[in-house]
Amino acid sequence: MALAGDLATALDPVSFASGLGFEAEPWESRLMRSRAARALVLCARQVGKTQTVSFRALHTALYNAGRDVLIVSPTQRQSDEMLLRVSSLYRAMREAPRLRRDNTSEMGLSNGSRIVSLPGSEGGIRGFSRVKLLVLDEASRIPDDVFASVLPMVASDGMILALSTPWGRRGWFYELHEDATNGWERHKVTVYESAQYSPQRIAEVRKALGSFVFASDYECVFGDTETQLFGTEAVRAAFSSTVRPLEL
């Protein structure tokens, strides 16, 4: 894949991905071309989010010299898996720039950019200040304190992509979805919007899983967890100012 002089490839991640043989679905094109500074991606399992975001991560590192791309997941292993996907895309390029560093947790490009995989622990993610793209994978399972720690790392011209299936009505990922005024761009990809799922496959998955798991992992519904004693709405109602306290 030639980089020099290819303006379309430099400006458009979808064209970049197409040059590597990837034909993006409509939702993937919208996500890769998004210029929003903050984006929430609520997506079903196995719709291709890792591949899509890996293209975006590699494109960002190639065309933003001296900047960092961070991948943060609940565990180091999960972050390393996405970096491995990015690495495989890099190696598929016909004219890839030389790497300065290449290991399981970091790719350092000759233009000074880095793609780094990090664990979702507050103590293991500090020390970055030139971040162009922050990817929060499996975001619903990343603790609130980790999310608070990484926000200041993103430069004023940087972007945050938070992608995940739901995990109950809790945590920062859920709360950001609940607040329609916070300025975060929203993307939602259920099994019904993904070309990866035929009606037959949807029926098979639905039959194999319970209603809660299917609604959460495939229809992207923020529901109560199966272990909750009281539902979320019942708990909220208990603190409502319109309900008179019980006088004993």
Side-chain angles (χ1 to χ4, degrees):
M1 178 179 223
L3 295 178
D6 192 342
L7 184 60
T9 297
L11 295 177
D12 184 12
V14 176
S15 296
F16 171 74
S18 179
L20 292 174
F22 180 74
E23 296 304 318
E25 297 178 29
W27 74 266
E28 292 171 317
S29 294
R30 289 192 297 271
L31 181 57
M32 281 197 279
R33 285 174 171 154
S34 172
R35 296 187 179 276
R38 306 287 184 268
L40 299 169
V41 187
L42 187 62
C43 48
R45 297 184 62 185
Q46 302 298 317
V47 295
K49 68 178 177 63
T50 300
Q51 186 83 343
T52 303
V53 176
S54 294
F55 274 115
R56 182 67 186 260
L58 180 57
H59 183 271
T60 299
L62 287 169
Y63 293 105
N64 291 274
R67 303 296 294 275
D68 288 337
V69 175
L70 301 185
I71 301 169
V72 178
S73 305
T75 68
Q76 182 70 58
R77 182 191 62 78
Q78 290 171 302
S79 296
D80 290 347
E81 283 294 321
M82 181 175 283
L83 180 60
L84 182 62
R85 187 74 61 90
V86 176
S87 178
S88 68
L89 298 178
Y90 166 84
R91 297 181 193 289
M93 297 172 59
R94 289 195 298 271
E95 296 183 17
R98 181 176 57 86
L99 291 180
R100 290 181 174 178
R101 181 174 298 180
D102 184 18
N103 55 53
T104 58
S105 60
E106 181 177 338
M107 282 179 59
L109 278 63
S110 58
N111 66 357
S113 292
R114 297 182 299 175
I115 306 174
V116 184
S117 62
L118 296 167
S121 59
E122 196 275 338
I125 56 177
R126 295 183 178 272
F128 297 90
S129 60
R130 54 174 190 170
V131 178
K132 181 64 176 179
L133 174 62
L134 170 63
V135 176
L136 300 170
D137 192 24
E138 298 298 337
S140 65
R141 290 168 169 80
I142 293 176
D144 290 1
D145 63 335
V146 174
F147 177 63
S149 295
V150 296
L151 281 179
M153 298 179 187
V154 182
S156 59
D157 64 340
M159 179 182 187
I160 299 176
L161 276 178
L163 52 149
S164 186
T165 55
W167 195 41
R169 300 181 183 184
R170 57 189 170 195
W172 63 270
F173 187 70
Y174 165 69
E175 291 168 1
L176 286 177
H177 274 90
E178 286 291 283
D179 182 3
T181 66
N182 58 28
W184 284 67
E185 182 177 272
R186 286 161 169 75
H187 300 256
K188 185 176 181 179
V189 190
T190 71
V191 289
Y192 310 113
E193 286 83 46
S194 171
Q196 305 300 314
Y197 284 86
S198 65
Q200 293 78 15
R201 186 182 179 191
I202 293 173
E204 289 174 359
V205 174
R206 185 192 296 271
K207 185 177 180 180
L209 300 175
S211 59
F212 170 80
V213 175
F214 184 81
S216 174
D217 288 2
Y218 295 89
E219 295 180 316
C220 301
V221 175
F222 285 103
D224 293 330
T225 65
E226 294 178 315
T227 58
Q228 282 183 234
L229 181 59
F230 299 104
T232 301
E233 296 306 320
V235 173
R236 287 178 175 173
F239 291 91
S240 172
S241 60
T242 62
V243 177
R244 294 182 60 185
L246 180 64
E247 296 180 1
L248 299 177

